[in-house]
């Protein structure tokens, strides 16, 4: 079907696409437009050669959902629909690109909120048909790891890593929906070493923030409050699990709830939504610092264990919680290798990571059919490992 296979084309390093009759002829992909809408950020970005950031536009819905204390799926979907076209146009404009310059489109098709995923995939499918571009379906969680592969930029001044990570690569993926340790032997070839047995670590940050009365999203609020607090004021438990590299954060969250109830002098029957009114600013700071220290130590303990067992060439962190400075500090202190961290803007949801992964994915996979691409709200990246 392909005049040149993508694998063959990857040796050229520069691949462009052209449509001949009904067949895709893939010669050289240079610029990929990424589209991301899996949760509460509508994003589009252009990435060149899987390493160079040309534009990165993110429209966050944080203010819209803050009044509800969390993401409301229907509201999220509607907002994506309203802004997706302007966001894509802005990403093209900021990259100095017209549609003629774009060689392929990449879109998050899984996992995420179904209405949110549909907004992005339907836009991508339509644009792929109209502009005759190959379309690549990208797994959101796997893509978070690829924020670490963005090492050059044209129009921005982000603090990017100097080089792309080498394989084998140990990835600690920590977001609002996932906490996983994954060993990448190559692009698309990875094995899950461990994962959370209950809440994701980002979810625990969000829930603990709610308990102590800090604003949504909880991760940044807790990180900020923790700067003023005493991380040793409250002693909180670390879960002991059978799986060597597994995590559990649900018990830690409940331990914070019980400690807060005790500190303010109420029992466990007291309505938790009325607790924040009893928590002083000093208590908030100390709970934030103590929780953050324990949650981050738990992550770093397991990452260190995996590092010692597998001796990877590189270690990367990915997902929203990777923006946490205490995580970066503890990891760098405990692991005996130089770790380069992606800038904060590329740790939380964005489309640059989607386009970056697509560059590597496109070298081993054919594009998908834009008329039939479906979204998958729940699927683990280990079920979609694509290296052949
Ligand atoms: O990756 P992401 O943007 O969305 C998902 O795919 O889930 O991650 C969002 C999560 C939220 O739980 C948020 O509270 C957390 O990342 N987060 C942080 C920080 N910034 C965002 N957690 C800890 N420290 C931060 N600085
Ligand atoms: Zn994410």
């Amino acid at each position: 079907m392909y005049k040149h296979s993508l694998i063959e084309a990857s040796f050229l390093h520069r691949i462009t696409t052209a449509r001949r009759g009904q067949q895709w002829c893939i010669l050289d992909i240079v610029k990929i437009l990424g589209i991301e809408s899996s949760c509460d950020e509508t994003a589009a970005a252009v990435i060149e050669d899987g390493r160079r950031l040309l534009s990165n536009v993110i429209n966050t819905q944080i203010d819209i959902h803050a009044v509800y204390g969390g993401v409301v799926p229907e509201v999220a979907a509607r907002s994506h629909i309203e802004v997706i076209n302007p966001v894509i146009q802005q990403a093209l404009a900021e990259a100095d690109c017209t549609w003629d310059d774009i060689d392929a489109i990449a879109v998050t098709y899984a996992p995420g909120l179904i209405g949110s995923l549909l907004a992005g995939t339907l836009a991508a499918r339509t644009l792929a048909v109209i502009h005759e571009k190959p379309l690549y379906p990208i797994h959101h969680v796997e893509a978070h790891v690829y924020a670490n592969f963005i090492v050059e930029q044209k129009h921005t001044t982000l603090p990017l890593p100097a080089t792309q990570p080498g394989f084998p690569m140990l990835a600690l993926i920590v977001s609002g929906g996932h906490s996983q340790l994954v060993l990448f032997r190559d692009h698309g070839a990875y094995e899950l070493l461990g994962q959370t047995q209950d809440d994701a670590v980002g979810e625990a940050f969000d829930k603990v923030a709610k308990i102590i009365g800090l604003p949504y999203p909880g991760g940044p609020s807790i990180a900020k409050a923790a700067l003023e607090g005493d991380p040793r004021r409250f002693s909180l438990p670390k879960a002991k699990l059978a799986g060597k590299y597994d995590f559990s954060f649900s018990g830690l969250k409940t331990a914070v709830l019980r400690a807060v109830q005790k500190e303010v002098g109420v029992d466990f029957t007291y309505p938790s939504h009325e607790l924040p009114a009893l928590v002083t600013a000093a208590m908030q700071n100390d709970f934030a610092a103590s929780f953050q220290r324990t949650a981050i130590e738990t992550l770093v303990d397991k990452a260190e264990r995996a590092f010692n067992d597998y001796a990877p060439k590189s270690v990367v962190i990915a997902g929203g919680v990777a923006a946490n400075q205490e995580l970066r500090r503890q990891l760098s202190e405990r692991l005996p290798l130089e770790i380069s961290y992606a800038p904060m803007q590329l740790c939380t949801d964005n489309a640059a990571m989607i386009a970056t992964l697509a560059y590597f994915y496109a070298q081993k996979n054919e594009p998908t059919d834009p008329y039939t691409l479906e979204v998958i709200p729940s699927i683990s990246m280990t079920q979609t490992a694509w290296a052949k």
Side-chain angles (χ1 to χ4, degrees):
M1 177 177 173
Y2 291 84
K3 180 131 190 216
H4 295 265
S5 79
L6 285 158
I7 297 160
E8 202 181 307
S10 73
F11 291 119
L12 302 174
H13 252 253
R14 297 192 149 253
I15 311 164
T16 48
T17 58
R19 187 130 195 207
R20 305 246 170 92
Q22 285 311 301
Q23 289 190 329
W24 287 108
C25 167
I26 312 264
L27 300 167
D28 192 19
I29 288 180
V30 180
K31 295 186 180 100
I32 299 182
L33 170 73
I35 298 174
E36 153 65 37
S37 72
S38 63
C39 188
D40 58 347
E41 260 93 31
T42 319
V46 180
I47 286 280
E48 196 171 50
D49 291 345
R51 60 187 292 118
R52 196 168 307 113
L53 185 72
L54 300 190
S55 67
N56 184 34
V57 178
I58 304 169
N59 181 79
T60 180
Q61 303 175 3
I62 284 179
D63 291 348
I64 301 176
H65 299 292
V67 284
Y68 306 105
V71 179
V72 182
E74 292 78 3
V75 176
R78 183 186 299 179
S79 172
H80 285 305
I81 293 166
E82 281 167 5
V83 304
I84 195 141
N85 280 327
V87 164
I88 292 169
Q89 289 311 322
Q90 193 181 334
L92 291 174
E94 288 184 11
D96 282 336
C97 286
T98 65
W99 278 107
D100 284 347
D101 302 315
I102 297 296
D103 300 295
I105 299 174
V107 66
T108 305
Y109 78 104
L113 301 170
I114 188 161
S116 292
L117 288 168
L118 277 169
T121 52
L122 287 172
R125 288 170 57 181
T126 309
L127 292 167
V129 172
I130 293 174
H131 297 289
E132 301 193 334
K133 307 291 178 190
L135 177 64
Y136 295 97
I138 296 299
H139 190 284
H140 176 89
V141 180
E142 183 183 0
H144 265 301
V145 174
Y146 280 76
N148 294 286
F149 284 77
I150 301 171
V151 292
E152 293 173 32
Q153 56 197 325
K154 252 193 175 157
H155 307 293
T156 40
T157 52
L158 298 173
L160 298 174
T163 53
Q164 293 186 326
F167 295 105
M169 168 179 79
L170 178 66
L172 175 63
I173 305 174
V174 280
S175 72
H178 296 83
S179 305
Q180 299 180 325
L181 267 169
V182 181
L183 186 70
F184 280 68
R185 299 200 185 277
D186 199 349
H187 297 293
Y190 38 80
E191 106 193 47
L192 180 68
L193 302 182
Q195 63 183 334
T196 183
Q197 302 300 297
D198 38 58
D199 292 354
V201 62
E203 195 179 346
F205 269 84
D206 295 337
K207 287 178 175 169
V208 166
K210 226 173 185 172
I211 292 170
I212 60 178
L214 289 173
Y216 160 89
S221 308
I222 289 206
K224 190 162 167 242
L227 292 173
E228 309 293 323
D230 174 1
R232 306 258 161 213
R233 165 91 188 275
F234 299 101
S235 159
L236 298 164
K238 285 191 202 166
K240 293 199 172 42
L241 297 161
K244 213 175 163 190
Y245 312 110
D246 284 338
F247 308 105
S248 163
F249 292 102
S250 164
L252 174 58
K253 172 200 67 193
T254 309
V256 172
L257 175 63
R258 297 288 172 251
V260 172
Q261 288 165 333
K262 189 169 165 218
E263 191 67 15
V264 301
V266 298
D267 73 8
F268 69 94
T269 59
Y270 193 81
S272 57
H273 65 272
E274 288 179 18
L275 268 182
L278 307 177
V279 179
T280 64
M283 263 188 237
Q284 271 180 336
N285 295 343
D286 289 344
F287 273 116
S290 301
F291 161 76
Q292 176 175 264
R293 176 181 63 83
T294 313
I296 298 297
E297 270 176 19
T298 306
L299 294 172
V300 176
D301 286 349
K302 298 294 166 95
E304 186 181 33
R305 190 175 283 182
F307 178 84
N308 290 336
D309 291 350
Y310 290 93
K313 199 162 173 197
S314 65
V315 174
V316 298
I317 54 174
V321 183
N324 187 280
Q325 291 300 331
E326 179 61 13
L327 173 60
R328 294 170 178 221
R329 194 190 63 75
Q330 285 196 24
L331 257 190
S332 294
E333 200 176 275
R334 300 257 298 270
L335 297 190
L337 86 170
E338 187 83 25
I339 306 177
S340 298
Y341 298 106
M344 307 267 206
Q345 296 90 326
L346 299 177
C347 289
T348 44
D349 288 352
N350 67 84
M353 65 188 197
I354 305 298
T356 304
L357 170 54
Y359 174 80
F360 298 100
Y361 178 90
Q363 293 178 29
K364 290 187 178 158
N365 293 276
E366 296 184 359
T368 191
D369 182 345
Y371 290 97
T372 59
L373 174 64
E374 301 270 3
V375 302
I376 307 181
S378 177
I379 186 170
S380 161
M381 62 183 261
T382 46
Q383 289 172 263
T384 63
W386 42 266
K388 293 173 178 114

